[in-house]
Amino acid sequence: MDDLDQATALCGKSCVFHPDNALSFYSDTSDFSPLNEENPYSEPLQQLTDAMAGSKKKLTLLSAAEVSGIKMSREEMNDYVDYISSSFSQLQKEREDAQLKIQNYTGEIENISHFVGLELDLDQIHACKYIKVRFGSLPKESYEKLNSYKQNPYIIFFPSTSDATHYWGVYFSPIDMVSEVDRIFSSLYFERTRLTELTGSPESGVETLRQKRDAETERLKHIDEQFEALWKKEKTMCQKVYSWLTEQSVYFGIRRYAARYNDNFILTGWIPADQENRFKKALDKVESLNYTFEGAEEELLHSPPVELKNKKIFRPFEFFVDMYGLPCYDEVDPTPFVAITYFLLFGIMFGDLGQGLCVSLIGWYMWKKKQMKLGRILIPCGFSSAVFGLVFGSVFGFENALDPVYRALGFAEKPVEVMKPATTNMIIYSAVGIGVVLVMLAILINIYSSLKRKHYENALFGPNGVAGFIFYTSLVLGFGGQMLFGWQIVTPSYVVCFIILPIAVMFFREVLGGFVEHRPDWKPEKWGDFIMQNFFEMFEFLLSFATNTMSFLRVGAFVLVHAGMMLVVFTLAEMSGGIGYVLIVMIGNVFVMALEGLLVGIQVLRLEFYEMFSRFFDGGGRPFNPVVVRREQ
C-alpha cells in the first residue's frame, strides 16, 4: 500500500493507462475492499483556481520537466496555497469594494445631475418642519396630465432637466397634505430620488461625489498595481504549484479504481499493446510491484475500450461513427465503409462543380479556423460534388457551361443530361441499384463481423446473415433481372431453393443458431408462442428489405431536386433581367447551396445509420480514455 501513490503516478505519466474497476475482475471479492478516500489535492487546487479566477490571472499547465524541480512537502504546498489565495482574495475584496463605491458614486452623480440648476439649498430643505420635498422623475405623458389637477394648488411640479421620455424635478407639499399629494404623483408614475445624505446645493453635492469617486479610482489603480506586483513575483511559483497539484490530483483519482487486499493493492487497466514494453520499464522502477499482461481478446467479457485507428483519409468520418456509437472491441470498424459511401452518395446527390468547390472551401474554413470536426468531412464531400458536377455538366446551376470542355474531349454532349425523361428513369433505376449493392455489402460485412465474433446465429441464419443474403440476392437477380434484362431464371425450383428455403432458415434462426453454438436452451419451451412471435418478426424483416432498398430512391430524387431548384432560380433571374439577373443568380446559388447541402448531408447520414449501420453494427463499445494530465501535449 505504501507504493500505491508511486504506482498511480507512473501509470498517469505514461499517458496510455485506462483504469478499470479492479473488483469487477474477481468473482470472489470478500477479501477485497474499495479505496474510498477523499482526494487531498482537490481542495487546495480548487482554492488556488478560485483565487486566480477572481483576479483574472490565467493558470496554465507547465511541462512535466518544469514541474519536476519542485521541492516542497504537501504541508508546505498547502501553506503556500493559503498564502497566495488569501493575498489575492484580500486584494480582490478591496478591488470589488472600490469598484462598488465607484459604481454607487457614478449612479448618485447621475441622479443628482438632473437637479442641477434648481438653485436650492438642500440644508434648508432638510430643516423644513411644515413642508415635505420630493425629488424625482416624471414621464412626459404624466407631466402633460398635470393640467387636469389645476384646481389643486399643491399639485405643482418644478422641472429642472429632461430627456426623450422623462422630466426630472421637484414638488412640495404641506405636511398635512403630503399623503394625498404623494398618492396623486404616484398614480402619475413619479419615481422618487432620495437626496437625504447630501448637503449644500445639488452642484456642490455633485462636486463632492466626483471627488470621492476620483479618490476611489486612484485607490483601484493602486490595488491593480499591487495585483500586478504580486503576480509578477509569484507567477512562476504559482504555475508550478498549480501544475503539481493538478498532476497529483489526477494521479490520486486513479486510486478509486484500485482495491485493497490486506496490506497490498490491486490495480487493473488497459494499455495499447504496442506500449507494453515501455509500460513495463516504468513499472519496474517500483520493486514491490508485481504485474501481468493479458491480451484484450482474452478479456472480452470486460468490454475492452476502443480507440479507432484509420488511414488519414478516413479519419474525418470517425466523427459520424462516434455519433452512432463506437464499435465493440471485436467488432468491425465501419469508418472506411462510411467514408467511401458517404463521399460517393453526397457527391451524387449534390453534383455541382462550382458549389462543390465552395463547400470544400467552407469546410476548410470551419476546420482550420473554427476547429469544427464537421468541416473536415465537408472538404472531401465538396470535392466529390465537384467531380459529379463534371459528370452532370453543372457549374453553379449553369447546365451548359462545360459543353466546350466535353466537345474538346471528343464527346458530342455532356455525359448525363439530368432533365431528359430517359435520363430521369436511368437515374431512378441507378439509385435503386446503388441501394441494392450497399445493402448487400452491409450484409456481407455483418457476416464477416459475426463470424469473427463467433455469433453464428447472426452470421449464418439471420436476416443479415448468409440466409438473408441468399434471399435478398435471389429476389434482386431473379425478379429484377427478369424485369430489366428479360432473364428467365425464376423457376419453381429457383423459388424453393433460393427464396422459400432461406425464409424458413431465417424463421428458425434461433433454434439453428442455438444448436450450432451449443446453447443449452436452443429448443423453445412453447412452440406455439415461438411460431407466433417469429411470424411477425419475419414479416418485419421482409418489409425492411423492401423499405431499405426503396429508401435509396432519395439518392436519385436529390439529383433531380438540385437541377429543378436551379431551374427555378434561373427562371426568376430571366424574369428580372439586367443587374437583377446577376443578383438573383448569386443569391439563388447561396440559398440552394445552404439548403440542399444541409438536406443532402442529413439524408446521406440517415441512409448510413438506418439502412446500413443497422445491419452490421451494434455501436456498444466504450472509448479508450487514458489518464492524461496535459491532453494537448
Side-chain angles (χ1 to χ4, degrees):
M1 285 300 298
D2 294 337
D3 292 329
L4 177 55
D5 284 337
Q6 188 178 359
T8 55
L10 290 172
C11 291
K13 288 177 181 178
S14 72
C15 297
V16 296
F17 182 72
H18 176 118
D20 211 339
N21 184 6
L23 292 176
S24 67
F25 287 80
Y26 294 88
S27 56
D28 182 7
T29 59
S30 56
D31 295 329
F32 296 90
S33 59
L35 298 178
N36 297 320
E37 306 161 306
E38 185 177 352
N39 191 329
Y41 304 99
S42 59
E43 185 176 345
L45 179 60
Q46 189 64 47
Q47 187 179 353
L48 182 61
T49 304
D50 291 343
M52 294 299 107
S55 60
K56 297 184 179 178
K57 300 300 180 184
K58 186 178 180 181
L59 291 169
T60 55
L61 285 173
L62 302 179
S63 67
E66 292 174 294
V67 178
S68 61
I70 281 191
K71 303 295 181 183
M72 295 174 73
S73 65
R74 188 187 297 177
E75 291 72 20
E76 291 173 328
M77 195 75 64
N78 290 339
D79 291 341
Y80 179 79
V81 170
D82 288 337
Y83 158 69
I84 285 295
S85 60
S86 62
S87 299
F88 275 100
S89 297
Q90 182 60 36
L91 287 173
Q92 183 62 22
K93 286 180 182 178
E94 294 179 16
R95 194 175 194 278
E96 290 173 355
D97 180 65
Q99 288 176 325
L100 181 61
K101 288 183 177 179
I102 291 172
Q103 183 180 347
N104 290 338
Y105 288 145
T106 301
E108 290 182 34
I109 290 171
E110 184 179 348
N111 287 334
I112 300 169
S113 297
H114 292 302
F115 308 106
V116 171
L118 285 176
E119 298 180 0
L120 296 174
D121 188 336
L122 296 175
D123 293 327
Q124 292 180 345
I125 289 174
H126 296 328
C128 291
K129 295 181 179 179
Y130 304 108
I131 65 169
K132 291 291 183 182
V133 183
R134 304 285 192 252
F135 293 91
S137 63
L138 197 65
K140 286 192 171 182
E141 296 85 355
S142 299
Y143 181 75
E144 295 170 0
K145 294 178 182 178
L146 287 174
N147 292 328
S148 59
Y149 294 94
K150 284 184 178 180
Q151 71 277 11
N152 190 333
Y154 304 114
I155 308 302
I156 302 175
F157 183 75
F158 298 92
S160 57
T161 58
S162 65
D163 62 12
T165 59
H166 285 78
Y167 285 106
W168 277 264
V170 62
Y171 69 84
F172 305 85
S173 171
I175 198 166
D176 56 342
M177 296 289 295
V178 69
S179 297
E180 178 65 18
V181 174
D182 284 347
R183 184 187 63 78
I184 293 173
F185 272 96
S186 178
S187 68
L188 295 172
Y189 305 103
F190 177 81
E191 293 183 13
R192 188 176 175 185
T193 303
R194 300 185 183 275
L195 307 178
T196 54
E197 297 181 3
L198 290 180
T199 60
S201 64
E203 289 82 358
S204 64
V206 168
E207 184 59 31
T208 301
L209 289 171
R210 281 178 179 160
Q211 291 174 2
K212 290 182 178 180
R213 185 178 64 178
D214 291 343
E216 290 300 325
T217 302
E218 282 298 316
R219 178 186 166 211
L220 182 62
K221 183 179 178 182
H222 179 65
I223 293 170
D224 286 340
E225 290 173 354
Q226 289 180 288
F227 256 127
E228 292 303 321
L230 181 60
W231 176 245
K232 186 176 181 181
K233 176 185 174 184
E234 302 292 344
K235 178 180 178 180
T236 303
M237 194 61 188
C238 263
Q239 302 281 36
K240 286 185 177 181
V241 170
Y242 169 72
S243 302
W244 187 85
L245 285 172
T246 302
E247 272 190 6
Q248 299 308 312
S249 180
V250 172
Y251 299 157
F252 194 90
I254 300 175
R255 293 171 66 103
R256 73 176 186 270
Y257 295 96
R260 181 170 185 149
Y261 180 77
N262 297 327
D263 240 357
N264 305 306
F265 71 86
I266 296 172
L267 186 61
T268 311
W270 310 88
I271 64 167
D274 58 6
Q275 298 292 324
E276 182 175 333
N277 290 333
R278 184 170 73 89
F279 199 67
K280 282 182 178 179
K281 290 179 182 178
L283 297 182
D284 286 337
K285 295 176 182 178
V286 186
E287 291 184 4
S288 70
L289 283 182
N290 292 320
Y291 54 79
T292 59
F293 289 86
E294 296 180 20
E297 295 85 355
E298 306 301 321
E299 298 289 346
L300 291 178
L301 179 65
H302 297 286
S303 182
V306 173
E307 182 179 29
L308 299 181
K309 288 187 177 181
N310 290 289
K311 300 291 185 183
K312 189 175 181 180
I313 193 172
F314 298 144
R315 278 180 212 152
F317 294 90
E318 290 178 357
F319 175 63
F320 285 154
V321 176
D322 192 44
M323 283 174 58
Y324 191 90
L326 288 173
C328 296
Y329 184 80
D330 57 346
E331 195 174 10
V332 172
D333 178 9
T335 304
F337 179 79
V338 172
I340 295 170
T341 54
Y342 196 96
F343 174 83
L344 292 175
L345 291 176
F346 189 96
I348 294 171
M349 295 167 72
F350 189 30
D352 189 291
L353 176 60
Q355 292 180 5
L357 294 176
C358 288
V359 168
S360 290
L361 288 174
I362 293 169
W364 179 86
Y365 175 81
M366 291 168 64
W367 169 239
K368 290 296 182 180
K369 303 298 181 182
K370 302 296 183 181
Q371 297 300 308
M372 297 174 67
K373 293 182 180 179
L374 186 60
R376 293 179 70 193
I377 296 174
L378 290 179
I379 295 172
C381 287
F383 282 117
S384 177
S385 298
V387 170
F388 281 97
L390 286 171
V391 176
F392 298 148
S394 179
V395 184
F396 292 113
F398 292 95
E399 296 293 329
N400 302 108
L402 297 176
D403 285 356
V405 177
Y406 298 132
R407 285 194 288 269
L409 293 173
F411 292 97
E413 59 182 7
K414 62 182 180 179
V416 178
E417 180 61 67
V418 173
M419 299 306 285
K420 281 186 177 179
T423 307
T424 300
N425 292 334
M426 182 197 73
I427 290 172
I428 296 299
Y429 292 143
S430 299
V432 176
I434 290 171
V436 169
V437 171
L438 291 180
V439 169
M440 291 169 65
L441 281 174
I443 296 175
L444 289 174
I445 293 172
N446 179 69
I447 294 171
Y448 169 76
S449 179
S450 298
L451 288 174
K452 180 183 175 184
R453 302 172 73 184
K454 298 181 180 179
H455 293 176
Y456 298 116
E457 176 187 330
N458 195 25
L460 302 176
F461 311 117
N464 295 311
V466 174
F469 183 80
I470 293 173
F471 168 76
Y472 185 69
T473 307
S474 301
L475 278 180
V476 171
L477 292 178
F479 294 98
Q482 183 173 326
M483 182 176 64
L484 295 176
F485 308 110
W487 298 345
Q488 300 296 325
I489 59 175
V490 181
T491 62
S493 57
Y494 180 94
V495 172
V496 171
C497 294
F498 298 114
I499 296 178
I500 295 177
L501 183 60
I503 289 177
V505 170
M506 287 188 284
F507 188 90
F508 292 100
R509 66 193 179 283
E510 295 176 10
V511 175
L512 296 172
F515 178 76
V516 172
E517 295 176 10
H518 304 291
R519 292 201 299 261
D521 58 343
W522 65 276
K523 289 183 180 180
E525 292 183 6
K526 297 181 179 180
W527 281 96
D529 293 346
F530 173 82
I531 292 173
M532 181 64 68
Q533 178 183 338
N534 278 27
F535 173 79
F536 289 106
E537 287 185 359
M538 278 305 304
F539 180 77
E540 182 184 352
F541 292 152
L542 298 178
L543 188 63
S544 70
F545 278 119
T547 56
N548 289 166
T549 306
M550 291 301 102
S551 283
F552 284 89
L553 283 171
R554 71 190 73 226
V555 176
F558 269 94
V559 176
L560 305 175
V561 165
H562 177 76
M565 290 177 72
M566 292 310 303
L567 181 62
V568 172
V569 170
F570 282 106
T571 301
L572 293 174
E574 289 170 359
M575 292 170 60
S576 300
I579 190 67
Y581 179 89
V582 177
L583 288 175
I584 290 176
V585 169
M586 291 176 62
I587 295 172
N589 266 278
V590 172
F591 175 78
V592 170
M593 189 163 50
L595 178 63
E596 193 177 358
L598 177 65
L599 293 176
V600 168
I602 293 172
Q603 293 299 327
V604 178
L605 192 61
R606 184 202 174 282
L607 289 173
E608 296 283 353
F609 284 175
Y610 291 99
E611 322 309 341
M612 291 179 274
F613 269 36
S614 60
R615 294 192 174 276
F616 67 88
F617 187 56
D618 291 333
R622 55 173 176 153
F624 175 63
N625 286 324
V627 175
V628 179
V629 177
R630 299 167 183 83
R631 190 161 295 277
E632 68 280 1
Q633 297 176 11

